[in-house]
Amino acid sequence: MSLDPATRERIETLLKDHRVVLFMKGDRRQPMCGFSAAAANTLNELLPEYHTVNVLEDPEIREGIKVYGDWPTIPQLYVEGELVGGADIIRQMYASGELHTLFGAAPPDRTPPQITITDKAAEAIRNGIANAQGLALHLEIGPDHSAGFQLAPADDHDIVVTANGIQVHFDPGSAQRAKGIVIDWVSTVQGEGLSLKFPGAQEIKPLSVQELQRRLAEDSVVLVDVRPAAGRAQAAPLAQARVLEEEGYDALASLPRDTALAFICHHGNSSRGVAERFAAHGFTNVFNVEGGMDAWAREIDPGVPRY
């Protein structure tokens, strides 16, 4: 496939004008896919400034950059006009310290963190990985304290910690943010799952939809809708809600730390994860709306569509 000369010129101008360019879905403050988020989070740790190109807003660049570098996927990182690679290569170079060297940053701290895994969590993890032959349990914790487990092959550069008989693999940044965490198995009205508690983080308080209605009427809580665009298209956010995807994490994180924050999603699961991130950042009055928008539609306003 040939590249249109005008598109080639646009790409070459971008690479000439900016030392570091990340072609991604979304931008560094509001990534629009998991791979782009992972790449941007890594660069955000090492670089105060770099240029991003949101390919979702520019179909010509989206297809053209794949041809330009003969690289079929997005995101793509370029440094000084040269293609470095996509999300996996960025992660590997970060774990090995090569990315630090490329950007002239200090080598990563590879000190293993002290973590705690409760008996219930250890049992659940053992059951979950029983058939995962050849794969290791990885825990990634982003700069905003978003966290996720995944099963993936072990890497020579992983920082490995054993707690309660469970081996957990970290990249250097995640390892430093994991210091002192407690991994537990929790039960809520929405179901069961693993939960991370960071040192000094406040407990997430449950909030019923009836109590949310009262507090909204009193203007005594900031409601944050964490649902993706597809969910909000099915049922519009409540009138008083601020939308995380539209405002961005940084804008909400700049609120006073004693602000009463209530997080709502579809059923109350993903909102708890976001609430934990804000609690980990020092917010002291954090709520999770139990049952989410579905409970609001069932118990408060039948006019809200259920989906």
Side-chain angles (χ1 to χ4, degrees), residues 57-123:
E57 296 179 347
D58 196 327
E60 291 180 355
I61 293 292
R62 181 176 185 172
E63 297 306 317
I65 194 62
K66 297 175 185 179
V67 178
Y68 183 85
D70 193 22
W71 193 269
T73 58
I74 302 294
Q76 294 184 23
L77 174 64
Y78 279 78
V79 178
E80 295 183 346
E82 297 293 329
L83 173 65
V84 174
D88 287 344
I89 290 178
I90 293 170
R91 179 184 179 279
Q92 292 165 8
M93 291 181 66
Y94 174 78
S96 69
E98 293 175 81
L99 205 60
H100 299 69
T101 301
L102 179 63
F103 295 138
D109 184 348
R110 306 191 65 83
T111 305
Q114 293 289 327
I115 69 173
T116 298
I117 301 178
T118 66
D119 290 342
K120 284 187 176 181
E123 180 182 2

Side-chain angles (χ1 to χ4, degrees), residues 109-115 159-161 170 175-176 179:
D109 184 348
R110 306 191 65 83
T111 305
Q114 293 289 327
I115 69 173
I159 297 172
V160 184
V161 176
F170 296 93
Q176 299 313 304
K179 290 179 178 178

